[in-house]
Amino acid sequence: MERFSANKRNAWMGWTLLLLAIFVGTPALVFGAAAYEGKVLTIVVGYKPGGGYDRYARLAAKYLPKHLPGNPAVVVQNMPGANSIISANHLYGVAKPDGLTIGTFNNGLATAQLTKVAGVQYDLTKFAWIGSLASDAVILTIRSDLPYKTVDDMRKAKEIVIGTTGPGSSTHDFPSILKEFVGFNFKLVPGYSSSADVMLAIERKEVDGRAGSYDSIKPFIDRGLVRPLIRSRTASPGIETLPVDEDLAKDAKGKAIMVVASASTKIYRPYVAPPGTPADVIKLLRDAFAAMAKDKEFLAEAKKTKLSIDFTPAEESLKVVREVLNQPPEMAQEIGKYIKFGE
Amino acid sequence: MNRVLSLRFLFALAVALVGAYALYASLEWPFRTALFPRLIGIPLLALSLLEMLLSLVSAEKEREGHAVDFEMTTDVAPPLARRRTLAILSWIVGFLAFILVFGFPIAVPLFVFLYLKLVGKEGWVLTLSLTLVSWLTMEGLFNRLLHLPFPEGWIFALWS
Amino acid sequence: MFESFVEGLFVVLQWQPFLIMLMGIALGFWVGLLPGLGGSTTLALMLPFIYKMTPVEAFAFLLGMHSVVSTTGDITSVLFGVPGEGTTAATILDGHAMAKKGEAGRALGAALMSSLVGALVGAFALALAIPVVRPLVLTFGAPELFMLAVVGIAFISSLSGQGGRALLRGFLAGLVGLVFAMVGQDPQAGVQRFTFGQLYLWGGLDLVPVLVGLFAIPEIVDLAVRGTSIAGELPQGNLGKGAWEGVKDTFRHFWLTIRCSLVGTFIGIMPGLGGGVAQWIAYGHAVQAARDLKEREGFGKGDVRGVLGPGAANNSKEGGALIPTIAFGVPGSSAMAILLGAFFLQGITPGPDMLDKHLTLTFSMVWTMVIANVVTVAVSFFFLNQLAKLTLVRGAVLIPFILFLAFIGSYTSNNHLGDLVVFLACGSLGYVMIRCGWPRAPLVLGFVLGKIAENNFYISTIRYGSSWLLRPVVLILVLLTLAVIVYPLIRMRNRDATPEKAA
């Protein structure tokens, strides 16, 4: 009973706040001093509401005010399209570098820049980086009722059917690189409308396995539907001991491509400010993100809502980006063959 | 001559062009990318050419060709109908122009005000109160509560 | 089984979840009513509150809100001809036409009552289907989904008119819709198709601006041309008491309503078909119910059956749509993904257990949907006749607001100016189609089913070679497609043989 009244009170407070927000929300002013007092900080998200990028941003919007001087209001704006290239271009060329706009976009945008995808206007190295809130392990899983328990079992297999959502997603690129550079007999079946759809195809035995983000496959591993077999270099608790794709590569070229493909998984939820944002403001933002990532309440809520947190500071994030972008042109071309960037 | 310029003929022609373009564009695509656009483009081109031909040669039978869909009113005299159609279409395009020039938050109340005053010839009280309602919805709901990213109007870009 | 069914009801009727559900309903009411306020946007905004609730409350809130949206979305569709939600566009065809005949109250009554029947039938059908629901979903693999899409497109194209010429235009419209579906990056080779170098088009055309343009603009133009209110200068006698008439209509065509509800449930259960499909198939079925050609011609011009069909299917599909989420842990939409999160919070991993160990919880979710609809319909009935009077407001006063809703409704789907361009382009297309006597329904269905058809075709051929063509369900669906195409031709010949009967 007590619990309910607390909930109810919260709910009512929420409603009141919403109404208040409608009528007295403060307009964003031009940023002058270093403090955020009375300002509104906007987080631009490159995807529609409800997805992973959006949920991280909304969680951050809730806890950031606490860690910024002057406790500004933080709001989330969704700017979907072209797998977040639209939002990245906006942050790069349109948004004012006044510290009142920051943004988050696809972690694979570095690959898009490297392979010179049409429409890319941004240069990732020129953004004022804040850091990344999470990392992500990409894994390959196979249906548990199949006899493949190790990498060697898989090598011997005549054919393993992997369902994917199409070139440009880790569900496709990860197994396609493994097929090419490790030599598995994979048959890739692209065209599923979402990774959830691939999961259903596994359930009806239309396909034998799928690759993708560990976070999203974990419930199905726990339920015993699939078993994980290979991971990319970024590990997550629980799958540290899985074989890593780079160690399986037949040659140096394959290994190099795998490195580039998985580099950006270290910065799974990147946050940047527009290029030219003043250094003192950037410092405030970086400190706030770092402090938030250690905030116990923040971590507890993240855990409850199944958003894993693994903070990577700005310097390190930028290093990851440079590692991807500093490939020689001929290598870039090779990579473009196996890693597509797209919706 | 009249039939050649009839809307039906021109529309079928436009659809045929879409079909032809789809086929043309699919020429440089890999097989799997191109298969469906071709499977759709060929019948689209063929059927729309047929429709074009039919709207040229035969007057429609009285009871043929009624779509399961609504039909525009025929109660208004054609010249007046044409004038009104043109007027409303320019208002619609004008709304888009307002949005581009002034940005959503200003364009919406401005449009509501102008339309009520100029087309509706409504009184000041009604006009102003409805303009206020539109502004409150726009500003309160979509701007303040939902934080939609509304692009700034062009005139504000000139400003700075 | 039956016990869980009853127990599930009592879980919902506890007063705390019930209150929270009412809040969800209140919110969903507005979300459905306003184009531009989408379900997923609102859910994302509500997330912080949802995570504070207990799981049962969260379910009640989410489902309460979710199941009301398509009910109240119908209201906007009927009154203004602007789809309140992407899933309520089919109601416009006859619902708004009725409003123009001065029967807005009746149309609203029919839309709401059929929604309620749909929700109830959906729930009961689901309850009965639970033992077979897993095998049912698993039977429908990529080959079957491909054929379902083909049947759908053939079905609606062939129903969209009478006479050879109308049939021709029906198929043409369907093909144009399929071209629309091809826009964007293709998932086979990652090539951009028909994107003209626009980043905006990478992900394909968005359903909402296409629908809003296609349906709202012709109506706005028509309203302006007539220069009257929506209901015109008709005698206003029956406007104020029409809602009850609509309720009676629902029972007058009771079997049709039930059949459309079942169609909706079935499509809802099919993973990956999406929310937009059910209402159009149901609309097609309603048209098919016309006894003769003259009756059929009345569709699109205010036949109440054209409201009942999509109204019912719209709501019955929601119960079915729960199945992939709860029985397989595979969310079908972002609303369902958020729902899935609520499961994890409770420590339940959705899966086969939901149809077995946690059956009571599953049923409580179904009941929530039913009760939410009962509450909404009951409350709405107090307003319906008042709402219907909006159709008497001078057109010049309504037009700027309808345009505002149409513009903002389109813009919010991607928050991009490209949405407005698509909206206007589809608006012009819709206008020209009406002027030329091309039906719009096949275009919409071609558009929503095109991608499904293409993707599942490739999955089928890559996975099974050509052997998928021989799967039993596929063969049945092939026969059905042929029947759907040949049947109207036979009817046409019969009509020619006995012309006096059709006249």
Side-chain angles (χ1 to χ4, degrees), chain C residues 177-188:
Chain C
L178 287 170
V179 171
F180 276 27
M182 295 298 115
V183 175
Q185 177 165 309
D186 105 279
Q188 292 301 319

Side-chain angles (χ1 to χ4, degrees), chain C residues 26-185:
Chain C
L27 193 66
F29 193 93
W30 289 103
V31 173
L33 224 45
L34 282 173
L37 250 186
S40 65
T41 312
T42 322
L43 279 178
L45 269 172
M46 291 292 123
L47 269 183
F49 308 111
I50 290 166
Y51 287 128
K52 272 188 201 127
M53 298 173 189
T54 67
V56 176
E57 289 165 1
F59 289 143
F61 182 82
L62 285 171
L63 285 172
M65 184 182 127
H66 187 72
S67 45
V68 166
V69 166
S70 52
T71 310
T72 56
D74 280 337
I75 297 180
T76 317
S77 299
V78 167
L79 287 178
F80 305 118
V82 182
E85 294 293 313
T87 53
T88 63
T91 328
I92 294 176
L93 285 174
D94 279 284
H96 190 62
M98 285 176 77
K100 285 193 288 191
K101 290 201 297 188
E103 294 184 322
R106 183 173 164 209
L108 288 175
L112 284 171
M113 197 59 210
S114 61
S115 293
L116 180 58
V117 172
L120 286 169
V121 171
F124 283 107
L126 202 59
L128 289 175
I130 277 193
V132 294
V133 89
R134 264 183 73 91
L136 180 68
V137 171
L138 295 180
T139 311
F140 278 78
E144 286 80 12
L145 286 175
F146 168 72
M147 280 313 300
L148 269 184
V150 171
V151 174
I153 296 166
F155 180 56
I156 203 106
S157 302
S158 69
L159 279 175
S160 290
Q162 52 162 298
R165 193 70 182 277
L167 207 60
L168 173 64
R169 288 175 184 153
F171 280 107
L172 270 171
L175 288 167
V176 173
L178 287 170
V179 171
F180 276 27
M182 295 298 115
V183 175
Q185 177 165 309

Side-chain angles (χ1 to χ4, degrees), chain A residues 3-340:
Chain A
R3 169 137 201 205
F4 172 65
S5 55
N7 274 330
K8 200 172 143 196
R9 204 165 45 237
N10 279 338
W12 280 113
M13 255 176 68
W15 283 102
T16 322
L17 281 178
L18 278 178
L19 284 176
L20 272 177
I22 296 181
F23 293 110
V24 293
T26 40
L29 301 168
V30 180
F31 201 91
Y36 275 95
E37 182 102 44
K39 305 280 171 62
V40 178
L41 172 66
T42 303
I43 305 179
V44 175
V45 178
Y47 291 90
K48 289 191 179 188
Y53 286 92
D54 181 68
R55 285 162 67 192
Y56 270 95
R58 286 181 198 275
L59 186 66
K62 192 172 157 193
Y63 285 92
L64 267 183
K66 209 162 103 181
H67 300 287
L68 279 166
N71 311 93
V74 180
V75 302
V76 173
Q77 274 190 349
N78 300 87
M79 200 177 279
N83 211 354
S84 78
I85 291 184
I86 288 180
S87 68
N89 285 344
H90 173 85
L91 285 164
Y92 190 78
V94 182
K96 289 196 194 95
D98 52 10
L100 291 181
T101 309
I102 62 174
T104 178
F105 42 60
N106 190 296
N107 58 326
L109 284 187
T111 330
Q113 188 181 340
L114 176 72
T115 55
K116 302 204 167 51
V117 168
V120 168
Q121 292 160 8
Y122 59 81
D123 177 353
L124 278 185
T125 56
K126 298 216 171 87
F127 277 116
W129 278 79
I130 299 168
S132 161
L133 277 181
S135 64
D136 173 52
V138 176
I139 55 169
L140 179 82
T141 60
I142 305 286
R143 219 166 61 223
S144 310
D145 60 355
L146 291 171
Y148 314 121
K149 294 198 174 65
T150 63
V151 170
D152 279 331
D153 293 345
M154 280 206 313
R155 277 187 211 274
K156 284 181 215 131
K158 225 165 82 202
E159 183 181 78
I160 299 177
V161 183
I162 306 282
T164 89
T165 58
S169 76
S170 62
T171 65
H172 189 92
D173 297 344
F174 190 65
S176 116
I177 293 169
L178 283 173
K179 179 185 176 181
E180 186 70 29
F181 295 106
V182 182
F184 293 120
N185 292 317
F186 286 164
K187 175 149 118 183
L188 267 55
V189 180
Y192 289 97
S193 60
S194 67
S195 57
D197 248 17
V198 186
M199 223 61 230
L200 211 55
I202 290 179
E203 187 105 48
R204 64 177 178 246
K205 303 193 171 33
E206 197 166 278
V207 299
D208 301 330
R210 69 164 275 211
S213 148
Y214 175 58
D215 278 351
S216 69
I217 308 181
K218 192 168 178 299
F220 302 94
I221 299 173
D222 294 346
R223 175 142 65 83
L225 180 65
V226 290
R227 76 165 68 93
L229 279 160
I230 300 175
R231 69 169 170 88
S232 67
R233 67 148 82 163
T234 311
S236 253
I239 52 162
E240 298 94 335
T241 54
L242 281 184
V244 179
D245 59 347
E246 290 162 33
D247 303 335
L248 302 171
K250 284 188 296 199
D251 50 29
K253 184 174 118 193
K255 188 169 174 174
I257 289 178
M258 287 172 186
V259 169
V260 173
S262 59
S264 52
T265 56
K266 182 85 187 108
I267 48 166
Y268 190 39
R269 305 296 180 193
Y271 282 79
V272 302
T277 306
D280 51 339
V281 179
I282 278 298
K283 187 166 182 323
L284 289 178
L285 286 166
R286 284 178 184 165
D287 292 347
F289 267 79
M292 179 175 73
K294 288 196 194 95
D295 185 334
K296 282 210 178 63
E297 267 179 70
F298 170 79
L299 289 172
E301 182 158 347
K303 194 170 174 207
K304 225 172 122 190
T305 55
K306 300 258 168 186
L307 300 174
S308 67
I309 300 293
D310 174 19
F311 185 67
T312 306
E315 274 309 307
E316 245 177 279
S317 303
L318 197 54
K319 219 174 86 190
V320 172
V321 171
R322 290 219 171 91
E323 188 184 349
V324 174
L325 292 177
N326 285 346
Q327 301 292 329
E330 62 275 13
M331 193 62 194
Q333 217 180 8
E334 275 301 302
I335 291 166
K337 277 190 206 156
Y338 300 100
I339 313 172
K340 289 252 162 25

